Amino acid sequence: MTSHRIKMRLSGTKEDLEKWLWFVGKMDQKGLVEIINRSEAYANRGESKESRVYLEINLNIEE
């Protein structure tokens, strides 16, 4: 199995971020990815109602 590490930024409403983080967490549980690092949610600049989360992830695939 080969791993491919990336850094990812998710940006959206808190509700959308929760759903995407749940989805990535499920992929981690199934061994499809490995979450190496996850930041707290940061509010976007200005008057935006969106936030962002930074992830470092390994994509585990068989080649």
Side-chain angles (χ1 to χ4, degrees):
M1 187 177 309
T2 304
S3 65
H4 302 278
R5 186 174 294 194
I6 62 166
K7 293 183 180 180
M8 176 185 293
R9 179 179 112 163
L10 300 176
S11 183
T13 65
K14 290 190 181 207
E15 294 82 18
D16 288 338
L17 286 175
E18 286 175 10
K19 289 176 182 168
W20 276 99
L21 291 169
W22 171 85
F23 179 73
V24 173
K26 286 292 184 186
M27 290 193 306
D28 183 61
Q29 289 176 356
K30 293 181 182 262
L32 300 171
V33 299
E34 178 185 3
I35 300 171
I36 305 300
N37 195 7
R38 175 184 155 184
S39 75
E40 296 297 320
Y42 296 98
N44 283 348
R45 294 184 179 133
E47 296 186 27
S48 175
K49 296 183 183 195
E50 294 187 346
S51 299
R52 63 192 184 278
V53 173
Y54 297 94
L55 299 167
E56 189 172 351
I57 298 175
N58 272 338
L59 174 63
N60 299 321
I61 58 174
E62 292 186 31
E63 294 185 17

